[in-house]
Amino acid sequence: MRILFFLWILFMPLCPIFFGMHVTSVSGECLSDGRVCLEDEVLLLLQLKSSLIFNTAASNKLVSWIQSADCCSWGGVTWDATGRVVSLDLSSEFISGELNSSSSIFTEFHKLGNLNYLNLSNAGFSGQIPIEISYLTRLNLKELRELHLSGVNISAKGKEWCQSLSSSVPNLQALSFFCGLYGTFPEKIFQVPTLQILDIENNMLLEGSLPEFPLNGALETLILSDTKFSGKVPDSIGNLKILTRIELARCNFSGPIPNSMADLTQLVYLDFKFQKLGNLTTLSLSYNNLWIIASGSDFIPSKLPHLTTLKLASCQLGTLPDLSSQSRLSYLDLSENQIQGEIPKWIWKVGNGSLIHLNLSLNLLEDLPEPSSILSTNLLVLDLHSNQLHGRIPTPPSCSAYVDYSNNSFTSFIPDDIGTYISLNIVFMLSKNNITGIIPESICNASYLSVLDLSDNALSGKIPSCLIEIETLAVLNLGRNKFKGKIPVSLAKCKELEVLNLGNNQMDDNFPCWLKNISNLQNSFLGNRGLWGFPLNPSCKDATPPPAFESRHSGSRMEIDWDYVAPEIGFVTGLGIVIWPLVFCKRWRRCYYEHVDGILSRILRG
């Protein structure tokens, strides 16, 4: 019995030829010079037909094998120029009975010496592959590209069968089977360098683990669902740069999802359902073109009670997932997901007060019910930019350091007591809204401000002089509003200011000559028709206003060069964001390091 088993293992690599695998494509035809198919091969095929039990009503190949008929018209048979059979296709012929050596055909089958293609897929055979098949030496497995065996009852040990297979098919590109393999699946299969598709789901007795993956592996699809695979997902899975699909549902994997999965930029489908990942604290799947189910029991985070960081930016969620049960979440990024409707009330209670970073930007959110609820949060970072939010400006969290409400449809005025709520802010952005009224004097209480962007609104009145005097105001963008009056003299004392945009307002003044002495200041005053003098007058001497203003600032050397500005914004803002929590908020020190990179990239993109 043992000898027979190893014979089976020895010749099992030939099984793909039974199940629809093209090894070599050679076509033949009947000769036009009057020669006929070789008689011994004709008789061999007729002998095969007579030994088979098949449904004559459903057959479209075997029924055409008639001795009196032209052999070149026989279905599923191709002959070469010498009259020999080179291709035999009996797929889907409704044949019954066992395929074994007792069939009379197999005692002589090796005489089809030119046969290089054999297809018996879905033919209805059962039983083991007979050893005589191995005598057909032209059935070359070294050229095999795809092997699909689903529905075939192999019932063999996975380790022995697959090791034999891996050594016989060096050019294999696709392997899929649901065929009753059991035991251990060898890691060697994963390392076939040409393998692109591996689908072995539903082999519920098959055990195994994921190996260390080589750099730049060819694997594109990995499906192991409903097997007994276990262990950890190796960090080296990030080496599979062209991987598009991973299905590991209902396996026994445990431990963390590797951070390297963030490098799988081609990934479009991920299924980890029912894995033992209960201790997972960080899930980062952003910017992978993934389509993640955002509702129901299939939503991944609903099974992760210890989650502290969830990054699902650009995952095509479509709806805002219910995360109200997450008790430890501190970092949540659901940006760029086409989420519509209103921001639910429960989102301000996520994590029971532990949430300090919330990013819902680049969605289609419209309503913000009870905006005062934001006040009760401990949010350090609140990013709602590029939505369709309207109504009053939400009062920022009192401990926030970064608040971005830009590119929405807020129509109210800036609250008189805004300075009370942004007193610790480093970045505050309200640009590209429909905000009216003046800049309240209380904004000067925001003594840590490094970036203030109120551009592209309908603000009017005078610019508070105290705003310019804030020692940390590195970037001040008030462009495209309706500010009037003179350029604040306090600018002369501002040593830290690096970017100033007052363009496209209604300011009128003799352009102050002292501005040319602030060497590190990048500024723009374009579009203020009332400004005159320097830099129009390079000598920067007192001048009288011109009789009629024309747009002569277009060539001014004072225009902002944003290529230089962006890095400085990033540096100054990043420095402040790091120092602020370290000095003033001890409870955020450890967590906040994870957020700095995201904030810096956001500033640079802006």
Side-chain angles (χ1 to χ4, degrees):
M1 190 68 182
R2 185 175 180 85
I3 294 175
L4 289 176
F5 178 78
F6 281 103
L7 283 175
W8 153 247
I9 294 300
L10 177 63
F11 295 111
M12 194 56 215
L14 296 174
C15 68
I17 61 178
F18 272 64
F19 305 101
M21 297 302 103
H22 290 262
V23 179
T24 308
S25 180
V26 178
S27 60
E29 59 184 35
C30 282
L31 301 176
S32 59
D33 59 1
R35 284 187 289 160
V36 295
C37 308
L38 289 180
E39 184 177 1
D40 58 345
E41 301 214 352
V42 170
L43 293 175
L44 192 61
L45 293 181
L46 290 173
Q47 184 183 1
L48 171 62
K49 176 185 176 181
S50 65
S51 67
L52 298 175
I53 301 173
F54 62 96
N55 187 333
T56 56
S59 171
N60 57 15
K61 297 172 184 175
L62 286 170
V63 292
S64 66
W65 294 11
I66 303 174
Q67 191 166 13
S68 60
D70 181 2
C71 61
C72 289
S73 66
W74 288 11
V77 184
T78 305
W79 310 80
D80 66 9
T82 67
R84 295 179 179 275
V85 178
V86 293
S87 175
L88 182 58
D89 182 359
L90 294 181
S91 59
S92 304
E93 273 296 283
F94 299 93
I95 301 168
S96 60
E98 289 196 4
L99 184 65
N100 53 48
S101 297
S102 63
S103 301
S104 58
I105 178 61
F106 292 109
T107 60
E108 303 291 333
F109 204 59
H110 64 279
K111 292 182 179 180
L112 295 177
N114 281 24
L115 191 68
N116 56 49
Y117 174 80
L118 177 62
N119 188 350
L120 300 181
S121 61
N122 298 309
F125 287 114
S126 62
Q128 299 287 5
I129 297 173
I131 194 171
E132 286 83 0
I133 295 295
S134 65
Y135 301 151
L136 299 170
T137 57
R138 295 202 178 191
L139 292 173
N140 185 2
L141 290 179
K142 291 185 178 179
E143 298 302 321
L144 187 67
R145 295 292 188 271
E146 297 187 12
L147 176 56
H148 303 283
L149 298 176
S150 293
V152 179
N153 185 12
I154 294 178
S155 299
K157 288 186 177 180
K159 183 175 183 179
E160 295 171 342
W161 187 86
C162 293
Q163 282 182 341
S164 178
L165 176 67
S166 63
S167 62
S168 305
V169 286
N171 295 306
L172 190 65
Q173 295 177 353
L175 174 63
S176 67
F177 56 79
F178 164 35
C179 52
L181 283 184
Y182 60 91
T184 304
F185 187 82
E187 295 182 355
K188 191 174 182 181
I189 287 287
F190 293 97
Q191 296 164 347
V192 174
T194 56
L195 190 63
Q196 299 172 4
I197 299 173
L198 179 60
D199 180 358
I200 57 175
E201 68 175 331
N202 293 319
N203 290 278
M204 290 183 283
L205 297 178
L206 191 60
E207 301 176 353
S209 59
L210 291 176
E212 292 296 328
F213 293 99
L215 285 172
N216 302 315
L219 204 60
E220 298 176 6
T221 298
L222 177 61
I223 303 178
L224 306 178
S225 300
D226 294 293
T227 64
K228 296 179 71 175
F229 269 71
S230 60
K232 295 183 178 180
V233 179
D235 192 64
S236 59
I237 198 170
N239 293 338
L240 304 177
K241 302 299 183 183
I242 60 175
L243 196 63
T244 61
R245 189 181 186 96
I246 305 176
E247 295 187 43
L248 305 180
R250 294 171 295 277
C251 295
N252 294 316
F253 289 104
S254 60
I257 296 176
N259 291 331
S260 64
M261 288 191 68
D263 298 329
L264 301 179
T265 58
Q266 304 300 314
L267 198 63
V268 297
Y269 190 96
L270 174 66
D271 189 349
F272 275 5
K273 286 197 292 289
F274 305 112
Q275 296 306 315
K276 297 177 180 178
L277 303 173
N279 293 324
L280 189 70
T281 59
T282 299
L283 180 61
S284 179
L285 301 174
S286 299
Y287 303 107
N288 280 299
N289 296 317
L290 284 172
W291 189 295
I292 295 180
I293 299 173
S295 61
S297 60
D298 286 337
F299 185 51
I300 296 174
S302 64
K303 304 290 193 302
L304 304 173
H306 299 287
L307 205 61
T308 60
T309 299
L310 178 59
K311 300 179 182 180
L312 297 179
S314 190
C315 288
Q316 305 181 62
L317 295 177
T319 60
L320 194 65
D322 188 351
L323 296 167
S324 57
S325 62
Q326 294 293 329
S327 60
R328 303 186 181 186
L329 206 59
S330 63
Y331 188 114
L332 177 59
D333 185 353
L334 300 177
S335 60
E336 202 171 341
N337 274 296
Q338 300 293 306
I339 300 173
Q340 304 180 31
E342 69 175 23
I343 299 176
K345 300 176 184 178
W346 57 256
I347 203 160
W348 312 117
K349 300 178 182 179
V350 169
N352 295 329
S354 64
L355 191 67
I356 63 172
H357 183 120
L358 176 61
N359 187 349
L360 298 176
S361 64
L362 295 163
N363 282 295
L364 302 172
L365 295 165
E366 299 177 2
D367 299 314
L368 184 63
E370 297 188 13
S372 60
S373 299
I374 302 177
L375 267 177
S376 62
T377 70
N378 292 316
L379 284 172
L380 183 63
V381 174
L382 176 59
D383 193 344
L384 301 178
H385 84 272
S386 301
N387 278 286
Q388 299 172 8
L389 297 169
H390 56 268
R392 294 183 58 187
I393 300 169
T395 306
S398 57
C399 291
S400 60
Y402 180 103
V403 175
D404 191 349
Y405 294 154
S406 62
N407 200 17
N408 278 287
S409 299
F410 292 119
T411 55
S412 62
F413 53 87
I414 300 176
D416 289 339
D417 58 350
I418 186 68
T420 303
Y421 302 104
I422 64 170
S423 60
L424 299 177
N425 266 46
I426 296 172
V427 176
F428 186 56
M429 298 185 180
L430 277 174
S431 64
K432 297 181 181 178
N433 281 283
N434 298 309
I435 300 171
T436 59
I438 64 171
I439 300 178
E441 292 281 339
S442 71
I443 204 168
C444 300
N445 295 332
S447 56
Y448 297 103
L449 269 180
S450 180
V451 176
L452 177 63
D453 190 348
L454 304 177
S455 61
D456 287 278
N457 282 291
L459 294 167
S460 57
K462 294 184 178 181
I463 300 172
S465 59
C466 64
L467 181 63
I468 308 297
E469 295 174 353
I470 296 177
E471 293 183 358
T472 58
L473 187 34
V475 178
L476 178 60
N477 188 355
L478 303 178
R480 296 187 182 277
N481 281 287
K482 298 179 180 180
F483 291 115
K484 296 181 179 180
K486 298 182 178 182
I487 297 173
V489 179
S490 55
L491 274 174
K493 303 177 182 179
C494 191
K495 299 179 180 179
E496 300 297 328
L497 190 63
E498 297 182 15
V499 178
L500 174 65
N501 183 7
L502 296 176
N504 294 287
N505 280 286
Q506 300 173 10
M507 307 190 76
D508 53 351
D509 192 10
N510 180 355
F511 203 99
C513 290
W514 45 261
L515 274 176
K516 73 174 184 176
N517 298 322
I518 306 178
S519 58
N520 64 333
L521 181 64
Q522 297 284 331
N523 60 74
S524 176
F525 297 94
L526 298 178
N528 287 278
R529 292 182 175 273
L531 287 179
W532 51 282
F534 175 80
L536 301 179
N537 181 358
S539 65
C540 200
K541 295 179 179 178
D542 291 337
T544 57
F549 180 88
E550 295 180 2
S551 181
R552 289 178 287 177
H553 287 263
S554 58
S556 171
R557 65 182 176 90
M558 300 295 285
E559 184 175 356
I560 293 177
D561 187 342
W562 292 103
D563 289 336
Y564 293 99
V565 171
E568 294 192 12
I569 295 175
F571 173 77
V572 174
T573 303
L575 182 62
I577 288 175
V578 169
I579 292 175
W580 186 90
L582 288 177
V583 175
F584 296 100
C585 298
K586 294 181 180 179
R587 59 189 293 265
W588 290 330
R589 286 182 187 176
R590 180 172 57 86
C591 183
Y592 197 67
Y593 284 117
E594 301 175 6
H595 310 328
V596 173
D597 288 341
I599 293 175
L600 289 178
S601 62
R602 166 72 184 94
I603 292 292
L604 293 175
R605 286 202 307 270

